[in-house]
Amino acid sequence: MTEKTEKRMIAAAQFAASLCMYAGESQTFYDAFWKRLLKHKDILEEFVYFMERQDFLCRAKVEGRTVVDIMVWQIDHFKANLDRDQADMRLNKDKMVLYAFDTMTKAAEEPSAFINKMETETGTEYQGKFFGL
């Protein structure tokens, strides 16, 4: 590992820890997330790209879905939580980003279960919702 790569990895670990802290997550959550992230180099690359640019590369995919697709799916759930006055993510962008990357690492380990959830578990329902999936 080059010195530059090593520095990027240290920065990424610190960034992940910061996201966890701002999201109110535990050290245990961080440890599990970081371990999964290290196993999936393409998702790790996406995470580092986001850390450095605050933008999404959208190169890493699980069953054709990117981290942005996951965020959109999670926002649907978030909107349902707003309807139930459970809006703890309303002002917490860090939490939304962290959970999208966390979900993506989990999805990479169980793609069929993930796709099933994305296609069947939604926060709100409306006619034609799944058009294009």
Side-chain angles (χ1 to χ4, degrees), residues 14-25:
Q14 291 170 341
F15 182 64
S18 294
L19 287 177
C20 288
M21 182 188 73
Y22 295 133
E25 290 296 346

Side-chain angles (χ1 to χ4, degrees), residues 25-43:
E25 290 296 346
S26 67
Q27 181 69 38
T28 302
F29 180 96
Y30 165 79
D31 292 339
F33 170 66
W34 185 247
K35 184 178 178 181
R36 280 192 317 277
L37 195 58
L38 290 175
K39 283 176 29 180
H40 302 283
K41 300 299 183 196
D42 57 338
I43 301 171

Side-chain angles (χ1 to χ4, degrees), residues 81-127:
N81 284 337
L82 279 175
D83 293 341
R84 296 193 278 287
D85 280 341
Q86 298 172 2
D88 66 319
M89 287 200 309
R90 180 183 352 193
L91 301 175
N92 197 334
K93 176 187 86 162
D94 297 320
K95 192 172 199 174
M96 292 180 79
V97 168
L98 174 65
Y99 285 2
F101 278 104
D102 183 59
T103 298
M104 191 165 197
T105 62
K106 291 175 182 174
E109 296 178 359
E110 292 187 64
S112 60
F114 163 71
I115 292 301
N116 183 53
K117 281 185 176 189
M118 272 194 85
E119 292 178 351
T120 61
E121 292 182 13
T122 61
T124 57
E125 302 297 335
Y126 52 86
Q127 186 175 6

